[in-house]
Amino acid sequence: MRAMPAPAPSPALDASWVEQANATLEEADAETVIAWAAEVFGAGLVMSSSFGAHSAVMLHLVHRVAPGTPVIFVDTGYLFPETYRFADALQRRFDLNLQVYGPAMTPARQEALHGQLWEQGEEGVAEYLRRNKVEPMQRALRELGARGWMAGLRGGQTAHRSGLRRVAIQDGRVKVHPILPWTTEEVEAYLDAHDLPYHPLYAEGYRSIGDVHSTLP
């Protein structure tokens, strides 16, 4: 792999740097991408995890290649009990540097003052997401001093994600997608090869596992 220059401080990153990074990493395996990110960003590297169906894959990869990387877990207050237990089990198994962030206003207070926002049309849903997901994540990135942010998104998951690249700029930070080209079959093969668990609800037909009120099998 060609040596990569350290990125300039945000927000001075430019398109040419992103193109160079993608040209270097386009065909690289996930371990190489993570090792590159750890070298380039050092203590400024974080990852995020929803502790969803296949989250053990990225957590295991980072545990192997860049142990100690802060793992941001946004707790909306409306996750399944199984998700909390799954996160706790993986934290102990991989000795994760888990950083849990939640909304500034507790879910109970939100509902007392504003009702169930997710049932209040598009504007209510947008406000729910802003309060419970977007703001906690942005606060986590800011407080942890993140310059590089790894996420386990895969191109085959949605139409939007199919257009993502291995390295991109998002809100003045570098977003890195180590397993972007992986297929579902590759994910499942990795889980099996390393004896890693699926989210407990996967066996009950759940595939995308988020909040209790917005997740269906």
Side-chain angles (χ1 to χ4, degrees):
M1 184 179 71
R2 297 196 301 273
M4 285 292 298
S10 173
L13 296 167
D14 58 22
S16 63
W17 186 89
V18 172
E19 288 302 319
Q20 183 184 5
N22 278 299
T24 302
L25 301 171
E26 184 176 8
E27 302 298 329
D29 59 30
E31 290 89 346
T32 298
V33 176
I34 295 169
W36 168 83
E39 180 179 357
V40 169
F41 298 108
L45 180 66
V46 302
M47 73 165 286
S48 59
S49 179
S50 65
F51 289 89
H54 304 116
S55 289
V57 169
M58 266 294 293
L59 292 165
H60 184 257
L61 283 165
V62 171
H63 165 69
R64 287 172 51 212
V65 180
T69 299
V71 178
I72 300 170
F73 177 31
V74 173
D75 176 9
T76 64
Y78 293 96
L79 301 176
F80 286 89
E82 291 87 347
T83 300
Y84 293 111
R85 291 193 286 267
F86 186 51
D88 182 69
L90 292 179
Q91 191 278 328
R92 287 184 281 107
R93 176 170 175 176
F94 300 143
D95 191 26
L96 299 176
N97 180 8
L98 192 64
Q99 302 290 324
V100 182
Y101 279 78
M105 183 183 293
T106 66
R109 189 178 180 204
Q110 285 185 54
E111 289 198 39
L113 297 177
H114 308 291
Q116 296 181 329
L117 289 168
W118 62 87
E119 293 187 345
Q120 298 174 28
E122 292 184 7
E123 290 186 4
V125 170
E127 180 63 13
Y128 172 81
L129 294 175
R130 186 193 69 78
R131 287 174 178 267
N132 296 278
K133 296 187 178 183
V134 177
E135 190 282 327
M137 177 61 75
Q138 292 303 314
R139 177 162 27 97
L141 294 169
R142 184 174 63 254
E143 292 183 359
L144 295 171
R147 294 186 299 122
W149 169 15
M150 294 186 294
L153 305 182
R154 293 188 292 113
Q157 291 174 317
T158 66
H160 167 70
R161 293 178 182 180
S162 68
L164 296 176
R165 304 186 72 185
R166 234 40 194 293
V167 181
I169 303 298
Q170 182 173 318
D171 299 330
R173 294 181 178 86
V174 179
K175 190 82 175 287
V176 183
H177 305 116
I179 62 171
L180 186 67
W182 284 30
T183 64
T184 298
E185 290 74 20
E186 288 173 314
V187 167
E188 293 176 346
Y190 188 93
L191 288 166
D192 291 342
H194 296 279
D195 192 26
L196 298 174
Y198 292 77
H199 188 290
L201 292 178
Y202 187 83
E204 298 181 25
Y206 291 82
R207 294 298 178 263
S208 178
I209 303 164
D211 290 330
V212 171
H213 54 76
S214 60
T215 301
L216 294 173

